[in-house]
């Protein structure tokens, strides 16, 4: 990367959002915890301090020695950051008389301030703080106020330091992106040349330099992240990338064959491994969800280990695969380093696994700096099959956690048929791309029905379709009744074993997206 902005995280729930907004300006940025500072090399163009769930008045509030940062770089301090600088330099921060949450409007905007260029008086901003800056140090100058908060923004005279009490990164701050652009472009001098094309170019060059003639082994899941990571690696080292795609028998109908074909068409050096028997054998009689996940995780590692040994054996004498490719993306990295506070919410069971220690491979993760939507954009630049790029998230344990209770091949087959009808109809009706994730769940109950003159006693499936940004929260989608009616009819008429279809109208929280 030729230039970057460093965001120091003090634990705000919005820190990731600041990073996303800066990236939307085609400027590369990285989040680091305030208490584990990165090297500030020449490519750093500016620094942003995030907000925090702490009050600067708390004894255990995050502290940072920032004199050097302030001297060397433009600095934008948001919320807690702004209060912290004001307090440290002799100002006074007190609890707000009225707690300031939500929308406010800027009554005063200093039109001369570079930071606020193009931000109009009355501009709506988003406040979220329990403290307020009552007194500013003598070298601070107020550059914006609301009717309740006189120090809504300040600049520190004789420096390139700015503080803002509101959150420019949330969309409710209508001119927030203008302000961020003023900071990163006009004040920091970033050239906005960080695009998917330049990312591909620099990453492929870096991978070539890092890997040379080495061989890399990588498991693909059919999902966006592992696929895009593999294509980048493939561009860098070609056939020296050895991909493995495991069929655990718990994918959607025909998915294994289709995805394997797509991978072959992309020119990847891939081997498909049919491990259905092993997975079903180990899952027989198991109905507890976490137990299923553990068995699947462990079996996957066994299959992968065997496949990687096979690959090692096939390599010429003296050549050894030293690397494991992974599709890790930036939110996973941030999560593991994030400061304790609301932004540190831990995803419990997701993407567990990683590198089993008996495989002593070094890890290469070409996407570890990217957010999910950036991975999709890079995938598009790399001309990855639209089918894979637009695909809904799908859990690693697959249909095992969508057949509630114990799993049999027959239940999985029935679920695959019903799910295939559901997903096909969503696609045909133009709903698939509007939905974040959809799936069918096989319920462990039977209910009475009637078909012709016959009484039936068969299974129920539930349909789920949710909208979400990141899977952490989600709401059910209001699919049209006539579409639901069509899907229900088709499933009941075509899938033997199902006589009832229900639609899940629960949001997350308190429900989850999956049923297990
Ligand atoms: P929940 O059900 O927790 O799901 O609301 C949130 C997102 O995570 C996916 N999910 C999983 N992904 N292994 C995975 O790789 C799992 O065990 C797992 N459980 C849930 C789920 O599909 C949704 O996208």
């Amino acid at each position: 990367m030729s230039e970057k902005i460093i965001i120091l995280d003090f634990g705000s729930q919005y820190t990731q959002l600041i990073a996303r907004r800066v990236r939307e300006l085609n400027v590369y940025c990285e989040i680091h915890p305030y208490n584990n500072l990165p090297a500030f090399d020449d490519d750093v163009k500016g620094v942003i301090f995030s907000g925090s769930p702490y009050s600067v008045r708390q004894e255990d509030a995050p502290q940072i020695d920032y004199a050097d940062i302030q001297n060397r770089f433009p600095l934008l301090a948001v919320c807690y950051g702004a209060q912290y600088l004001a307090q440290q330099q002799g100002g006074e921060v007190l609890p707000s008389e009225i707690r300031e949450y939500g929308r406010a409007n800027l009554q005063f905007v200093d039109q001369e301030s570079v930071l606020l260029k193009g931000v109009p008086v009355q501009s709506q901003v988003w406040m979220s703080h329990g403290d307020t800056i009552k007194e500013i140090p003598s070298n601070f100058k107020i550059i914006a106020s609301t009717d309740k908060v006189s120090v809504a923004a300040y600049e520190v005279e004789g420096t390139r330091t700015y503080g803002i009490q509101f959150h420019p990164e949330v969309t409710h701050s209508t001119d927030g992106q203008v302000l961020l652009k003023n900071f990163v472009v006009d004040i920091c001098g970033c050239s906005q040349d960080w695009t998917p094309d330049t990312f591909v170019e620099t990453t492929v060059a870096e991978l070539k330099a890092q890997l040379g003639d080495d061989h890399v082994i990588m498991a693909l899941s059919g999902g966006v992240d592992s696929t895009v990571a593999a294509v980048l690696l493939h561009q860098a080292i070609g056939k020296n990338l050895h991909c493995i795609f495991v069929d655990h028998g718990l994918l959607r109908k025909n998915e294994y064959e289709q995805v394997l074909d797509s991978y072959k068409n992309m020119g990847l050096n891939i081997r498909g491994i049919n491990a259905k028997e092993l997975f079903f054998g180990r899952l027989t009689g198991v109905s507890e969800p976490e137990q299923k996940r553990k068995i699947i995780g462990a079996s996957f590692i066994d299959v992968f280990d065997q496949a990687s040994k096979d690959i090692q054996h096939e390599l010429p004498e003296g050549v050894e695969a030293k690397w494991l490719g992974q599709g890790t993306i930036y939110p996973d990295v941030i999560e593991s380093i994030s400061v304790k506070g609301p932004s540190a919410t831990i995803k419990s069971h997701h993407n567990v696994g990683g590198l089993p220690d008996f495989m002593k491979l070094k890890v290469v993760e070409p996407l570890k700096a990217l957010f999910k939507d950036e991975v999709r954009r890079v995938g598009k630049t790399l001309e990855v099959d639209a089918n894979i790029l637009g695909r809904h998230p799908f859990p690693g344990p697959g249909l095992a956690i969508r057949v509630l209770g114990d799993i049999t091949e027959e239940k999985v087959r029935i679920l695959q048929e019903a799910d295939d009808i559901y997903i096909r109809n969503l696609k045909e009706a133009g709903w698939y791309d509007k939905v974040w994730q959809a799936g069918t769940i096989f319920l462990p109950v039977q209910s009475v029905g009637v078909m012709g003159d016959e009484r039936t006693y068969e299974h129920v499936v539930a349909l789920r379709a949710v909208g979400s940004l990141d899977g952490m929260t989600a709401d059910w989608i209001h699919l049209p009744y006539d579409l639901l009616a069509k899907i229900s009819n088709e499933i009941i008429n075509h899938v033997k074993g199902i006589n009832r279809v229900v639609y899940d109208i629960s949001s997350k929280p308190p429900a989850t997206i999956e049923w297990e």
Side-chain angles (χ1 to χ4, degrees):
M1 308 302 164
S2 58
E3 52 182 38
K4 66 182 168 202
I5 296 287
I6 297 284
I7 299 167
L8 292 183
D9 179 25
F10 291 86
S12 165
Q13 59 177 324
Y14 296 129
T15 306
Q16 271 201 41
L17 211 46
I18 301 178
R20 300 181 65 126
R21 295 281 174 262
V22 171
R23 302 251 186 122
E24 278 167 20
L25 294 164
N26 293 335
V27 172
Y28 179 69
C29 62
E30 286 172 2
I31 298 175
H32 293 272
Y34 74 95
N35 53 3
N36 188 7
L37 298 181
F40 285 89
D41 299 328
D42 289 345
D43 53 359
V44 176
K45 295 285 174 204
V47 179
I48 298 177
F49 284 2
S50 81
S52 174
Y54 287 91
S55 156
V56 293
R57 295 173 298 101
Q58 273 170 277
E59 233 168 64
D60 55 348
Q63 306 284 332
I64 180 173
D65 181 3
Y66 61 88
D68 189 43
I69 295 173
Q70 192 180 20
N71 286 337
R72 284 181 62 199
F73 306 103
L75 173 61
L76 176 67
V78 178
C79 199
Y80 174 91
Q83 296 177 351
Y84 184 74
L85 295 191
Q87 190 208 40
Q88 290 289 309
Q89 295 182 37
E92 191 174 20
V93 176
L94 293 174
S96 315
E97 277 139 30
I98 14 172
R99 279 167 87 77
E100 281 264 335
Y101 290 103
R103 293 179 177 80
N105 294 87
L106 297 179
Q107 304 293 358
F108 161 70
V109 177
D110 182 344
Q111 303 293 339
E112 305 280 291
S113 168
V114 186
L115 185 71
L116 299 177
K117 189 184 65 185
V119 176
V121 174
Q122 284 304 328
S123 177
Q124 177 181 293
V125 294
W126 186 257
M127 295 283 186
S128 172
H129 55 105
D131 284 348
T132 200
I133 305 172
K134 274 282 174 248
E135 291 285 337
I136 47 168
S138 57
N139 59 331
F140 280 38
K141 179 179 165 206
I142 295 176
I143 54 171
S145 314
T146 70
D147 55 352
K148 295 193 194 112
V149 179
S150 74
V151 191
Y154 62 72
E155 58 186 49
V156 181
E157 283 165 338
T159 71
R160 292 176 295 169
T161 301
Y162 300 82
I164 43 176
Q165 185 58 77
F166 52 89
H167 288 273
E169 66 277 16
V170 304
T171 49
H172 305 291
S173 290
T174 39
D175 297 296
Q177 196 64 346
V178 174
L179 186 154
L180 286 174
K181 181 170 180 221
N182 291 341
F183 181 70
V184 300
V185 178
D186 294 343
I187 297 169
C188 301
C190 293
S191 48
Q192 295 186 283
D193 57 2
W194 193 70
T195 60
D197 284 333
T198 54
F199 174 84
V200 170
E201 216 174 281
T202 50
T203 306
V204 170
E206 281 164 16
L207 288 171
K208 276 187 180 154
Q210 181 183 13
L211 300 169
D213 291 330
D214 284 358
H215 289 249
V216 177
I217 298 179
M218 180 165 187
L220 301 191
S221 68
V224 181
D225 303 344
S226 62
T227 307
V228 174
V231 175
L232 280 168
L233 281 162
H234 178 76
Q235 290 212 345
I237 61 169
K239 296 282 175 221
N240 284 3
L241 172 69
H242 305 264
C243 301
I244 296 165
F245 183 41
V246 178
D247 184 7
H248 51 19
L250 298 157
L251 296 169
R252 296 192 135 117
K253 186 178 172 186
N254 297 333
E255 193 165 37
Y256 176 71
E257 295 74 14
Q258 283 165 1
V259 171
L260 195 57
D261 273 354
S262 299
Y263 284 151
K264 287 183 178 153
N265 289 338
M266 286 181 223
L268 294 179
N269 174 12
I270 180 138
R271 64 182 68 194
I273 297 175
N274 179 345
K276 281 186 204 177
E277 251 179 62
L278 176 88
F279 281 86
F280 276 101
R282 291 188 184 174
L283 285 166
T284 305
V286 178
S287 43
E288 210 278 311
E290 290 309 304
Q291 193 59 26
K292 290 185 193 175
R293 283 190 169 85
K294 283 198 187 110
I295 290 172
I296 292 169
S299 308
F300 184 80
I301 287 170
D302 292 347
V303 173
F304 183 74
D305 192 42
Q306 185 53 52
S308 62
K309 285 191 181 117
D310 294 345
I311 290 170
Q312 297 275 19
H313 284 141
E314 290 162 22
L315 292 176
E317 270 297 302
V319 179
E320 190 192 350
K322 296 195 189 106
W323 298 87
L324 178 69
Q326 288 197 328
T328 318
I329 65 172
Y330 199 40
D332 307 326
V333 176
I334 300 173
E335 209 157 85
S336 64
I337 60 164
S338 81
V339 175
K340 80 175 153 60
S343 75
T345 338
I346 302 295
K347 279 193 259 165
S348 57
H349 41 249
H350 306 161
N351 305 320
V352 282
L355 178 65
D357 49 19
F358 51 86
M359 290 166 46
K360 305 281 181 237
L361 298 175
K362 291 184 276 186
V363 178
V364 53
E365 300 167 307
L367 303 177
K368 68 170 188 285
L370 297 194
F371 287 111
K372 189 89 181 181
D373 47 332
E374 294 169 336
V375 175
R376 288 216 170 86
R377 283 208 296 274
V378 167
K380 223 168 165 181
T381 294
L382 291 166
E383 294 177 5
V384 170
D385 200 331
N387 234 335
I388 289 184
L389 284 185
R391 154 183 264 126
H392 290 172
F394 187 70
L399 300 181
I401 55 167
R402 293 191 182 162
V403 171
L404 304 197
D406 73 304
I407 304 162
T408 63
E409 282 193 62
E410 179 62 1
K411 287 182 191 173
V412 171
R413 194 195 56 75
I414 292 175
L415 176 59
Q416 282 175 331
E417 294 300 330
D419 183 70
D420 188 53
I421 292 173
Y422 181 34
I423 299 297
R424 180 170 43 74
N425 271 284
L426 287 180
K427 286 184 176 158
E428 283 171 9
W431 275 93
Y432 184 84
D433 291 334
K434 293 188 226 164
V435 166
W436 194 74
Q437 184 168 11
T440 313
I441 300 101
F442 186 94
L443 305 188
V445 285
Q446 281 170 284
S447 76
V448 173
V450 54
M451 267 189 189
D453 293 332
E454 302 240 342
R455 173 185 178 280
T456 60
Y457 186 57
E458 289 183 322
H459 278 97
V460 188
V461 289
L463 308 179
R464 183 92 165 118
V466 296
S468 177
L469 281 175
D470 52 11
M472 304 297 273
T473 60
D475 204 359
W476 62 281
I477 296 279
H478 295 223
L479 290 180
Y481 280 179
D482 50 1
L483 177 60
L484 286 170
K486 178 166 183 279
I487 294 165
S488 163
N489 269 338
E490 235 179 276
I491 291 177
I492 293 173
N493 288 333
H494 290 99
V495 186
K496 206 163 172 300
I498 295 177
N499 65 356
R500 199 175 290 269
V501 174
V502 297
Y503 189 56
D504 183 350
I505 55 168
S506 329
S507 64
K508 171 182 179 177
T512 48
I513 296 176
E514 304 294 346
W515 282 41
E516 280 195 340

